[in-house]
């Protein structure tokens, strides 16, 4: 029950500061963009947007949320509350993951996927990956300018190989699934043939990033 309340609290915080409104604007922009493209090019564009929008917005919003909490001294309250570090992190990534899933599934209907359930898992997995990266970076910075600069390496590593992979520039090899973004992309496309490998890749990365995020949050709360 406490975890549900934590998620609700984070979602209300995001609603208060207009994060959902920004998601709505981006959704309209994507629909306009899709209307100018047809055929296979449209499917590729939709897949890339389904992957990149929840991921990019999740990372961006995570930084904004942590900075707002620091400026409003929410972090100090969390440090002395019964809330555990795990609940704090889970509330953050789950609240972002829910809206990412809603937006992502709306976008998926504009393209082509072989399995909507698999697409949903891929969207949430990708959102969690980048949200955890956002938590890690967000705990270490104190201004939005620092955050933007600090996330550039994550964005390059997280987006460029995946986009090139989807466009066919990089080889369609199972080794590419070691990249969590490529694994998420295969799931977003509903590709059942590599489901086990893609899922395992995402799971391993999520576990690794979670433990790093947990360590960073503990350090932030102790300061």
């Amino acid at each position: 029950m406490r975890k549900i309340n934590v998620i609700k609290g984070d979602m209300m915080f995001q609603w208060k500061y207009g994060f959902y409104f920004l998601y709505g604007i981006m959704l309209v922009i994507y629909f306009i963009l899709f209307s100018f493209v047809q055929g296979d090019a449209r499917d590729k564009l939709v897949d890339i947007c389904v992957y990149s929008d929840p991921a990019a917005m999740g990372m961006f919003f995570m930084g904004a949320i942590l900075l707002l909490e620091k400026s409003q001294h929410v972090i100090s309250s969390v440090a002395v509350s019964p809330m555990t570090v795990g609940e704090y992190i889970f509330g953050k990534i789950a609240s972002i993951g829910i809206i990412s899933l809603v937006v992502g599934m709306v976008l998926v209907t504009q393209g082509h996927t072989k399995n909507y359930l698999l697409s949903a898992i891929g969207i949430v997995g990708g959102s969690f990956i980048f949200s955890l990266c956002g938590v890690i970076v967000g705990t270490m910075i104190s201004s939005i300018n620092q955050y933007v600069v600090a996330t550039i390496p994550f964005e390059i590593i997280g987006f460029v190989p995946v986009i090139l992979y989807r466009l066919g520039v990089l080889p369609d090899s199972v080794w590419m699934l070691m990249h969590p973004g490529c694994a998420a992309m295969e799931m977003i496309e509903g590709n059942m043939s590599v489901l086990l490998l893609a899922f395992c890749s995402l799971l391993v990365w999520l576990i690794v990033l979670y433990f790093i995020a947990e360590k960073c949050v503990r350090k932030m709360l102790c300061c």
Side-chain angles (χ1 to χ4, degrees), residues 6-200:
V6 170
I7 296 172
K8 288 170 61 178
D10 279 316
M11 294 183 73
M12 290 177 65
F13 185 86
Q14 294 157 21
W15 174 268
K16 176 181 177 181
Y17 286 96
F19 291 168
Y20 291 176
F21 177 70
L22 290 176
Y23 262 112
I25 291 176
M26 291 303 301
L27 198 56
V28 172
I29 293 174
Y30 282 128
F31 270 89
I32 295 173
L33 180 63
F34 296 156
S35 67
F36 291 102
V37 188
Q38 299 298 327
D40 184 59
R42 179 187 175 107
D43 292 337
K44 290 181 179 179
L45 179 61
V46 170
D47 288 341
I48 291 172
C49 289
V50 168
Y51 167 77
S52 64
D53 179 75
M57 297 299 277
M59 178 176 282
F60 175 78
F61 285 157
M62 191 61 69
I65 290 168
L66 288 173
L67 285 173
L68 283 170
E69 289 186 345
K70 288 179 180 180
S71 66
Q72 297 179 5
H73 306 291
V74 175
I75 299 299
S76 301
S77 300
V78 172
V80 297
S81 73
M83 185 188 304
T84 65
V85 171
E87 289 172 342
Y88 178 81
I89 296 173
F90 180 74
K92 291 286 180 292
I93 66 174
S95 59
I96 293 292
I98 290 171
I99 186 61
S100 295
L101 175 61
V102 172
V103 173
M105 291 307 293
V106 171
L107 294 178
V108 162
T109 62
Q110 301 303 302
H112 171 74
T113 181
K114 301 170 185 175
N115 189 309
Y116 283 100
L117 177 60
L118 201 56
S119 293
I121 297 173
I123 292 168
V124 173
S127 175
F128 281 6
I129 287 287
F130 280 90
S131 291
L132 285 170
C133 290
V135 170
I136 293 169
V137 176
T139 59
M140 303 177 183
I141 51 87
S142 57
S143 72
I144 190 64
N145 290 335
Q146 290 178 355
Y147 186 80
V148 170
V149 173
T151 54
I152 290 176
F154 288 90
E155 292 170 356
I156 293 174
I157 296 172
F159 292 114
V160 175
V162 181
I163 293 173
L164 295 178
Y165 177 72
R166 182 61 183 90
L167 294 177
V169 177
L170 294 179
D172 186 11
S173 168
V174 292
W175 291 105
M176 289 298 299
L177 297 181
M178 294 180 66
H179 188 296
C182 292
M185 179 62 77
E186 289 287 359
M187 297 180 77
I188 288 170
E189 292 183 78
N191 191 349
M192 293 292 293
S193 63
V194 293
L195 171 59
L196 181 59
L197 188 56
F199 182 80
C200 289

